[in-house]
Amino acid sequence: MSDIGERLTRLRLEPALAFQADVEALSPRFAQLRRLAREAREASAAAENVTPTDVTKSGEDDALTVLIEAHHRELRVHCYRLLGSYDEAEDLTQETFLRAWRARETLDGVENPRAWLYKIATNACLDFLRKQNRRPTSYEPVPGMDSGDGPPPPRLPWLQPFPDDQLPEAPAPQHEPDEQAVASETLELVFLTAIQQLPPRQRAAVILRDVAGWSAQETAELLDTSVPSANSAVQRGRSTLRQALPGRREDWSAPAPGAEDLALLQRYLDAFARTDIDAMVELVREDIVLTMPPNPFWFTSRDAMFAFVRPNLDPASPMFAGHWRALPVRANGQLAVAGYLQRPGTSVFRAQLIDVLRVEEGRIAQITTFEPHLFPAFGLPMTL
C-alpha cells in the first residue's frame, strides 16, 4: 500500500512547476488572428491612401473581428462540449477563427454569420476527433489498492474543468426536459462524461439540436447532411444518452447551489485547511466516487478514499504531504475547490489541484480532481 500511496502522492501532489505558463499562452492563435486583422487593415489603408479607421468602418476585416468577439465564448463552450477538454476547446476555437479568417471573402454572402461560425467550429472539432479516435473506457483495478466495492466509473483521461466565469452571458435556447435528452445549459461533468460515449457525428448532432438549440433543418445544414440523416443521428444519440445518464434528470443535472450547498462548501474548505480528517469524513457520502483524470486512480467508497487520503494529511505520517490552503471556485456549474500545498521544508504554497464537487442530499457525492495547470484559466496564481 505504501508503494501505491507514494505513486499517487507523486502524481497528485508534486509541485506543478512545469505548468507555470501565463494566461496569454492559453490562446496564442487568437492573438495571432487579431494581429493579422490589424496588419491587414493597415496594409489596405496604406494601399488606398485612407486611414485605418475608414477601412475598419467598412471592411470585411472589421465585420469578422466583431463577429468573432461576439461569439468567442459561445463557440468555446460548444467546442468544450464536443471535446470535454478545456485546452483542446481553446485550441479548436482559435482554429475556428483562423479558418474563418481564411474564408472571410465569403462572409458577405452569408445569411446567418453565427451559423457560419458554428459550422466551421463543428467541422474543426470533428476533424480533430477523427484523428484522435478516442472513446471513454472504465477504470481498471490498481494492483494493491482498495478502490471500494462500487462499479468502476467511466474513465476519460482528457477530461478537464471549465471555469464558470468564461460562460456566455446569454444562455442558449432551452427545451422541455420531457422532450429533449438534455437541458441547454448543461455543462455538468456527469453529462460531459455521458456524451463523450457517442460517436463524434452523433455527439455533434445532439449538441447542435438539443443543447445549442438549432432546428432540425439548421442542424442538417451545419452537418452537411439531410434532415432525415440528422434526425436519425439525434435520435440514436438521445437513446444512448438516456442509457448512460441516471434515470431521472434531477439525479444528474444539479440545481444552482443554494445556501445549504454553500455552507457545506465552507465547512469543506475549513476542514481542508485544518486537515481535519474526521470533519471531512462527515461531509461526504459513504458511496462517494473520486476520480483524478488523467491519472488511473479511483475510489468508490468513503472508507477506501480516506484510507488513502488520511496518511497524506496526517502530520505524524511519513507520507505527510504538507499544509494546505483552499479557495472556492466554480467549474461546470458546480462547486469547486482550488488547493495549494506547502510541502514540508518549503515556504511557498503551490497550485496542486482543482476538486470539482457534486453534492447530493446535503453531502458530497462525487469529487473529480484535476491537475493544476488550468489555475490561470480560473484567474488564480500558481503560488500563494
Side-chain angles (χ1 to χ4, degrees):
M1 182 67 182
S2 60
D3 291 341
I4 293 295
E6 290 175 3
R7 289 172 59 197
L8 186 49
T9 298
R10 288 196 302 271
L11 285 168
R12 189 182 183 201
L13 305 176
E14 191 67 15
L17 296 176
F19 296 117
Q20 295 188 25
D22 57 26
V23 178
E24 292 182 359
L26 294 174
S27 54
R29 296 185 181 177
F30 186 54
Q32 178 188 14
L33 175 58
R34 298 299 303 275
R35 176 179 59 78
L36 290 172
R38 183 177 65 253
E39 292 174 354
R41 289 195 298 269
E42 293 173 351
S44 178
E48 299 181 17
N49 196 29
V50 295
T51 66
T53 301
D54 293 334
V55 176
T56 298
K57 290 179 180 178
S58 59
E60 60 190 16
D61 297 342
D62 182 60
L64 180 58
T65 300
V66 171
L67 182 65
I68 286 172
E69 293 184 350
H71 298 293
H72 184 197
R73 289 191 170 204
E74 179 182 0
L75 289 170
R76 181 165 52 192
V77 171
H78 176 60
C79 292
Y80 175 73
R81 285 193 175 102
L82 281 166
L83 304 170
S85 162
Y86 178 88
D87 285 335
E88 292 170 359
E90 181 69 13
D91 287 345
L92 270 295
T93 304
Q94 312 317 322
E95 176 66 22
T96 296
F97 295 150
L98 288 175
R99 292 187 183 191
W101 177 259
R102 297 185 187 109
R104 64 191 181 278
E105 296 85 0
T106 67
L107 185 57
D108 288 341
V110 172
E111 295 183 3
N112 188 336
R114 177 172 172 263
W116 181 69
L117 282 179
Y118 258 86
K119 186 172 185 176
I120 295 173
T122 301
N123 284 331
C125 290
L126 290 177
D127 289 345
F128 175 84
L129 290 170
R130 275 191 289 270
K131 296 176 182 177
Q132 297 298 312
N133 191 29
R134 64 189 182 193
R135 296 288 294 274
T137 59
S138 294
Y139 278 90
E140 298 284 345
V142 179
M145 175 175 285
D146 177 15
S147 294
D149 53 7
R155 185 184 180 197
L156 287 72
W158 60 90
L159 185 66
Q160 293 178 336
F162 193 97
D164 278 15
D165 62 5
Q166 294 186 20
L167 294 173
E169 294 182 3
Q174 297 192 12
H175 299 278
E176 293 297 326
D178 58 344
E179 294 180 357
Q180 304 294 351
V182 296
S184 62
E185 74 275 15
T186 298
L187 271 176
E188 288 93 341
L189 295 179
V190 172
F191 169 73
L192 285 172
T193 299
I195 203 165
Q196 294 291 306
Q197 299 181 30
L198 303 183
R201 285 188 67 81
Q202 282 186 29
R203 190 186 317 169
V206 170
I207 291 173
L208 290 169
R209 185 78 177 92
D210 291 342
V211 180
W214 296 100
S215 69
Q217 179 65 46
E218 290 166 334
T219 298
E221 292 174 354
L222 291 173
L223 292 174
D224 276 329
T225 190
S226 66
V227 172
S229 178
N231 285 340
S232 176
V234 170
Q235 294 299 330
R236 293 197 306 273
R238 288 174 181 170
S239 177
T240 301
L241 275 183
R242 292 189 185 100
Q243 296 175 20
L245 291 168
R248 299 177 303 162
R249 179 177 178 270
E250 57 266 28
D251 290 338
W252 59 267
S253 184
E260 293 183 359
D261 295 328
L262 296 176
L264 174 67
L265 175 64
Q266 188 58 55
R267 293 198 300 273
Y268 183 83
L269 290 169
D270 293 342
F272 199 94
R274 300 193 313 268
T275 62
D276 187 338
I277 302 172
D278 292 335
M280 295 178 69
V281 169
E282 292 301 316
L283 297 176
V284 305
R285 289 169 54 111
E286 292 183 3
D287 59 351
I288 188 170
V289 175
L290 170 65
T291 56
M292 293 178 275
N295 298 325
F297 302 96
W298 55 283
F299 302 95
T300 58
S301 75
R302 184 169 63 190
D303 290 344
M305 185 182 86
F306 280 100
F308 164 73
V309 170
R310 192 177 294 273
N312 292 315
L313 297 180
D314 184 359
S317 169
M319 294 178 61
F320 177 59
H323 298 285
W324 289 87
R325 288 182 183 173
L327 300 175
V329 292
R330 289 293 304 275
N332 299 81
Q334 300 173 245
L335 301 175
V337 174
Y340 292 82
L341 177 66
Q342 180 190 37
R343 294 182 66 83
T346 68
S347 60
V348 176
F349 285 83
R350 299 188 183 278
Q352 295 299 324
L353 56 84
I354 295 175
D355 280 345
V356 180
L357 312 178
R358 180 172 181 78
V359 178
E360 293 180 6
E361 299 177 348
R363 291 193 176 186
I364 299 170
Q366 185 172 2
I367 301 176
T368 309
T369 298
F370 295 100
E371 295 183 335
H373 81 280
L374 286 182
F375 269 54
F378 284 83
L380 298 173
M382 294 299 289
T383 59
L384 291 178

